[in-house]
Amino acid sequence: MASAALAAGLLAPALAAGPASASVSAPGDFTGFGFDACTAPTQAQMDAWRVSSPFAAVGVYISGSSRACAQPELTRTWVTTQARRGWRLMPLHVGMQAPCYAGNKQKMSADPATARAQGIAAANESVTAARALGIGKKRVLYLDIEWYPVSNAACDNAVLRFVDGWTARLKQHGYKSGLYSSASAAISSMNALRAAGVRGYHYPHHLWIGWYNRKPNVKAEPYLDDAYWADGKRIHQYVGNTLARYNGVTINIDRNFLDVGKGSNATKPKAQCRTHKISTYRTVKRGQRRPDLAPTVKCLLKQRGYFKGSTKSKVHNAKAQRAVKRFQKAKGIKQSGIVTRRTWVALLSDGSQPVLKRGSTGKQVYRLQRSLTAALGRSVPRTGLFDTRTEKAVLAYRAKVKLPGWRTAEPRVWASLQAGRR
């Protein structure tokens, strides 16, 4: 299939390179929740959902003749702003549909060679739009193929040729190919090709599975075998066309669960003052010998500029007490020099106030987890991965300090922790 089209010269010369932002994750390495909407939301809507919703990825229709909605917000500035705020993008192209598609969208040719050429043209269009928006090479661009009856063999073959051309051309441009479709349509056709061991075909790198079974995972059997497109190559659209409201803002969306790239994984703690070994933060009194806690107090204070010298002493000595008093004064805590639970919470959480949610990883998540361990008085796994256990701890803490019942750690959570509230 592919070689014949190549020999016929259907691949146009490479498009001129345009500047793009290397910081735009589309979608990057992530395991967690995303949403897509017909129209790119306003900046105010995105900012409201950033702090309150479980979503960390957003699907946007960047190109295609069949886009159903206008895109007044979708500019290069909008894209780069979302990237700076931590959003991941899922760029979609919705253009020609299957020859046997029942809707009113433009349809591809039933002739296989022509359909493949049309897939190449679609890739060119999508890359042009991506570059204009600042979405650079190595990112994934998703082709939207709506449901069609795969039992129509000629129609299905045209779709497969279109996808082959789309993927081959994106590869030439330095982008990766994604395919969105209903589980029982093009997704099952991809599965059948892989199961048959078809070679010489340009398979998409990612599959975005439309299957409204309301299960936020990336399993798609019986439509897609677990062995295919595994390990970071799947998105599951598990709820469609629903109104969702967060932080007072309502948007009509589809809900998605992503497992893409290297995924979101636990990280090893670094320079965390041995807090990964501490599951209970007890009061440390003046002159008290606490081999498990006293060195950690000094280490944390030293990181924040309140303590100088060796942190190895296992005694909460006078020098450490003076440092604790300086920290307590700065945070509005009673200046006792005693490391109370309130002092622990403030000390462990001190720093920036990032927005963290399911799928977030790294040292900021670890800082949150150790802070919640002190604030809740129970061990929260310190893994550096914001998983369901961390989410439950965040919900418990938010309820305890009477914050809105969001599943995120955002500036109000951090401010509460940094004030020592528990």
Side-chain angles (χ1 to χ4, degrees):
M1 270 187 282
S3 58
L6 285 165
L10 293 176
L11 294 182
L15 300 180
S21 173
S23 62
V24 177
S25 294
D29 304 320
F30 180 64
T31 305
F33 293 97
F35 77 95
D36 61 275
C38 190
T39 299
T42 66
Q43 191 59 58
Q45 291 174 318
M46 293 298 294
D47 288 344
W49 275 35
R50 174 174 169 261
V51 298
S52 61
S53 80
F55 306 121
V58 55
V60 288
Y61 290 91
I62 67 169
S63 58
S65 61
S66 296
R67 288 195 291 180
C69 298
Q71 300 290 352
E73 302 293 331
L74 189 55
T75 64
R76 187 185 183 98
T77 298
W78 187 93
V79 167
T80 55
T81 299
Q82 307 329 310
R84 284 197 304 270
R85 282 162 165 71
W87 287 100
R88 300 167 182 280
L89 265 64
M90 301 178 288
L92 282 152
H93 173 92
V94 55
M96 292 181 174
Q97 298 300 309
C100 54
Y101 172 69
N104 296 322
K105 294 181 173 65
Q106 185 181 9
K107 297 177 180 63
M108 66 186 70
S109 172
D111 175 70
T114 304
R116 190 176 191 280
Q118 290 170 331
I120 292 169
N124 288 335
E125 181 185 350
S126 185
V127 168
T128 299
R131 287 176 176 170
L133 291 170
I135 302 170
K137 291 182 178 181
K138 300 183 181 180
R139 294 349 183 230
V140 185
L141 306 180
Y142 295 89
L143 172 67
D144 184 326
I145 298 292
E146 298 295 318
W147 186 89
Y148 65 94
V150 293
S151 57
N152 185 326
C155 180
D156 188 44
N157 187 47
V159 171
L160 294 178
R161 296 294 185 96
F162 189 100
V163 174
D164 183 71
W166 160 269
T167 301
R169 188 63 175 139
L170 285 183
K171 184 178 180 180
Q172 284 196 332
H173 285 309
Y175 287 80
K176 292 184 177 181
S177 162
L179 171 64
Y180 166 86
S181 189
S182 299
S184 60
I187 301 300
S188 64
S189 289
M190 288 294 126
N191 189 72
L193 282 184
R194 288 290 296 270
V198 173
R199 297 183 180 182
Y201 185 82
H202 294 91
Y203 290 96
H205 297 89
H206 285 193
L207 293 186
W208 186 343
I209 307 149
W211 185 21
Y212 298 160
N213 63 357
R214 308 190 72 85
K215 295 180 179 180
N217 57 38
V218 290
K219 293 185 176 296
E221 289 188 327
Y223 304 104
L224 179 62
D225 292 349
D226 285 342
Y228 305 143
W229 285 274
D231 301 324
K233 300 180 182 68
R234 294 188 182 192
I235 302 173
H236 177 196
Q237 188 179 86
Y238 63 95
V239 173
N241 194 29
T242 184
L243 290 176
R245 185 175 179 84
Y246 296 98
N247 201 8
V249 174
T250 302
I251 307 176
N252 192 305
I253 64 167
D254 302 321
R255 293 176 179 265
N256 301 277
F257 188 83
L258 298 81
D259 183 21
V260 291
K262 296 178 182 178
S264 298
N265 300 290
T267 59
K268 292 183 179 180
K270 295 180 180 179
Q272 300 292 348
C273 298
R274 296 177 62 83
T275 51
H276 61 289
K277 295 181 177 293
I278 302 172
S279 58
T280 303
Y281 290 93
R282 303 186 186 279
T283 299
V284 182
K285 300 178 181 179
R286 300 183 185 93
Q288 189 174 22
R289 180 178 175 81
R290 290 303 303 262
D292 54 336
L293 298 176
T296 294
V297 172
K298 298 180 183 70
C299 179
L300 291 169
L301 289 167
K302 188 171 185 176
Q303 285 183 347
R304 285 147 185 78
Y306 291 94
F307 183 86
K308 295 182 180 180
S310 175
T311 62
K312 294 181 180 180
S313 174
K314 299 175 182 179
V315 177
H316 187 49
N317 54 29
K319 188 175 182 180
Q321 293 165 38
R322 290 193 295 270
V324 169
K325 284 184 178 181
R326 289 192 292 271
F327 177 80
Q328 290 171 329
K329 181 179 180 180
K331 302 302 175 183
I333 300 172
K334 181 181 177 181
Q335 300 170 50
S336 63
I338 298 171
V339 189
T340 60
R341 189 165 151 207
R342 181 181 178 186
T343 304
W344 272 121
V345 175
L347 186 57
L348 291 162
S349 62
D350 192 49
S352 60
Q353 299 182 340
V355 175
L356 303 174
K357 56 183 70 177
R358 279 283 297 276
S360 297
T361 60
K363 62 182 182 181
Q364 305 296 0
V365 175
Y366 183 90
R367 179 163 61 97
L368 172 68
Q369 291 167 333
R370 73 186 189 188
S371 304
L372 292 171
T373 293
L376 295 172
R378 61 177 173 82
S379 180
V380 176
R382 280 85 64 208
T383 62
L385 170 64
F386 197 120
D387 55 9
T388 55
R389 296 172 297 179
T390 305
E391 188 176 77
K392 289 177 181 177
V394 167
L395 283 169
Y397 181 73
R398 295 186 73 104
K400 195 172 187 180
V401 298
K402 295 181 173 53
L403 289 175
W406 305 336
R407 298 174 181 271
T408 60
E410 36 76 39
R412 279 184 285 186
V413 168
W414 287 111
S416 183
L417 288 167
Q418 289 167 3
R421 296 181 66 191
R422 72 248 187 250

